[in-house]
Amino acid sequence: MADWDDEWQEDQVVVTPAPRPPQNTRVYRPNPGGSRDNRGYSDRSNWRETRGNDNRSTNWRDQSDRNNPGFRNQGSRDQGFRDQGFRDQGSRDQGFRDQGFRNRRNIPEGNKKTITVPSHKVGRIIGKGGSKIRDLEYESEAKIQIGDSNGALTNITLLGEDASIAKVEDMINSLLEDYKPAVPKVNSCTADNNTSDDFFKSNEAGVEVIDWDKLNAHYEEQQKIRYEQLPPIIKDFYKEDPQVAAMSPKEVKHWRLTNNDIQVKRTFDDKPGLKPIPNPVVTFDQAFQHFPEILEEIRKQGFERPSPIQSQAWPILLRGEDMIGIAQTGTGKTLAFLLPALIHIDGQTVPRDQRDGPTVLILAPTRELALQIEKEVSKYKYKNIKSVCLYGGGDRKEQIKVVAKGVDIVIATPGRLNDLIVTGHLNIINFSYIVLDEADRMLDMGFEPQIRKSLFDVRPDKQVVMTSATWPNGVRRLAESYMKDPIQVNVGSLDLAAVHTVTQQISFVDEDDKEEALYEFIRNMESSDKVIIFCGKKATATHITTELAMRGIEAQSLHGDRDQSDREAALSEMVEGTVNILVATDVASRGIDIKDLTHVVNLDFPRHIEEYVHRVGRTGRAGRTGVSLSFISRKDWGHARELIKILEEANQEVPDELQQMAERFEAMKLRRDKEGGGNRGRGGRGGRGGGRDRGDRFMF
């Protein structure tokens, strides 16, 4: 937040009502007296008098702006913004025309019509980032020009053919209408009740209010009718192999134990009448012998046998069950839900070219993971199935165009999915196979409201898959909301654990010495080594990348402030081996698959221990080995006990200093509890309750 605030303050345009020189130069006049009123006005004591009128409300604009072009060129908030390029940077008015905003379509101007709208509603026409005005022009084939405002009203000019102008005017009028919740009418339930044909009732005070019970019952009834009109879903495509069916319970238990101790159960109550949990498949043929084209695609990838999560997930998903897959990153979860999705798409009763929309939805927390899934989907050429990746930062118009042409799989981040559903470009009711990938990460990033809003209208008989590395309460809530009798597959313990093929190293350094320790590590790298350096802030990632460049070390960066094209290029260069060092924030902790990555360096320890596990999981993937190095300073002592558990679970060495950090932190918490309950009793940030003092008091 602090970084953002700094950037915001730096970008402010300071408008001073003083005259400026006519030249396009900036003149600094010192003010020895430091008077705020005289600042920047040199020796003129009364700037209004120099204009011949002391009427502040009119003359400084009318005379200075109109008669002094230099003042306009320096940034007047009126005409000067248009002249000097303020609107060329994206203003909703002249800048759209000057900067090529309108040039995306060759719309003949034809006739012209000017309408007025309330100024406070102009934003509804423009939309976020100009998205709504683009849609209006695209759909109506008319031009829209936002004109001048007199305060309460703003002029809007419509250009084009008569039919286009009429269409866009109707669309604008619809946007300007204030929302009024419509209460649906129903027929009277009884013949003698003449006042029960609506959803209102009188309360105890005699005031007419909405009868919510009746309204909700009506809504449920209408939704039920709507769902019944949808084509049925076929979800069961599984024909169990005789060898799999013949496995005894003892054999199944032994196989699960020897394959990362897989635990399989019904997540919630095991209701009577549910099918037993299917046995795992051991080979690709046992899972897909009835789908030879799928088998052919698998063989093209060179896989020898299914991973543990795939062996147990495929029988469950092919049978049409909902499933929650909890496994460490890099264990093959994507392929576990992808191949059944391809079969699900092809196996429905309605031909693909006659469906109202896509069939499969895959939600991912980050752009990088969404693009990684799309890359995985593109490897499997099955029945000419098409996919699209929808994410913020991508070309929205192009994404909408691809969706409109027809796709079978939508891979999306929650924000962009919600955007296209709200604007009517996607209808969630058409999806019958839904995947929430890395559900715990989506909740950590605050996407739960957007997920619930997007899935509000989802059909009740859909098939849902959730994957997660952990099983927090938020993920459990999502499962309860959208899944029906799901089967939970845990690969390994539910306790947080890092990949066992990674050697975890801990280095204790002062905060100020971290950078030099990092550069020493880089100097000692082998030419074949590849490393991701994780930073806690975007500014830190940029700083480290710049410092490496100044030292003659080539590196790339990946964080949220970079354009999407730059982020994709950075990742591509790492994958291809053009660069061997990637400096990143936690946007790279999930969904990044660099097969030959040898090292992960935690320059800053993550805020949540779950992110540590995911960072470590970027290396040591697919059976390979790797090394993670974490720099620990005094301020990280709150994570010491959790880190010890992860190190012990992976049979890693636990440094004595880490044990001491954990013990001192726990002793501090006990002492504060006795003294009055931590920070709240000690004055927040200051004194003994302050975060800075807490770190300084710890010595090791």
Side-chain angles (χ1 to χ4, degrees), residues 43 56 58 61 63 114 127 133 138 141 150 161 182 188 359-360 366 380 393 441 473 492 499 503 512 579 591 605:
D43 297 329
R56 179 178 181 181
T58 60
R61 290 193 185 97
Q63 297 179 18
T114 300
I133 199 171
Y138 184 87
E141 298 187 351
N150 64 3
E161 302 297 334
S188 175
T359 305
V360 171
T366 65
Y380 298 89
R441 175 64 168 160
N473 290 334
V499 180
T503 301
D512 295 338
V579 296
F605 201 83

Side-chain angles (χ1 to χ4, degrees), residues 399-445:
Q399 292 173 1
I400 292 172
K401 186 185 298 183
V402 174
V403 170
K405 287 181 179 179
V407 294
D408 304 293
I409 301 175
V410 169
I411 306 152
T413 52
R416 180 51 58 90
L417 174 72
N418 187 57
D419 171 24
L420 297 193
I421 288 176
V422 169
T423 54
H425 297 290
L426 279 173
N427 190 347
I428 194 67
I429 204 169
N430 295 322
F431 293 104
S432 57
Y433 188 103
I434 296 176
V435 180
L436 304 178
D437 197 17
E438 301 280 13
D440 53 344
R441 175 64 168 160
M442 284 195 282
L443 298 188
D444 289 342
M445 296 174 71

Side-chain angles (χ1 to χ4, degrees), residues 18 33 38 127 144 219 234-235 312 316 403 406 421 481 484 510 524 572 582 619 631:
N38 294 332
I144 304 173
Y219 170 78
I234 298 176
K235 297 191 289 186
Q312 187 60 75
I316 295 171
V403 170
I421 288 176
S481 299
K484 181 179 180 182
D510 289 335
N524 295 325
S572 177
L582 180 66
T619 185
F631 294 125

Side-chain angles (χ1 to χ4, degrees), residues 165-217:
I165 290 176
K167 182 175 181 180
V168 76
E169 185 177 6
D170 289 342
M171 296 169 70
I172 290 174
N173 290 335
S174 298
L175 286 174
L176 299 180
E177 291 180 2
D178 293 326
Y179 173 74
K180 296 180 180 179
V183 180
K185 301 290 183 179
V186 295
N187 295 326
S188 175
C189 297
T190 58
D192 58 346
N193 187 355
N194 297 323
T195 61
S196 62
D197 59 346
D198 55 27
F199 294 97
F200 290 93
K201 65 179 182 180
S202 297
N203 61 13
E204 297 176 353
V207 178
E208 194 175 56
V209 296
I210 294 177
D211 187 339
W212 289 107
D213 291 337
K214 191 174 181 181
L215 184 60
N216 288 332

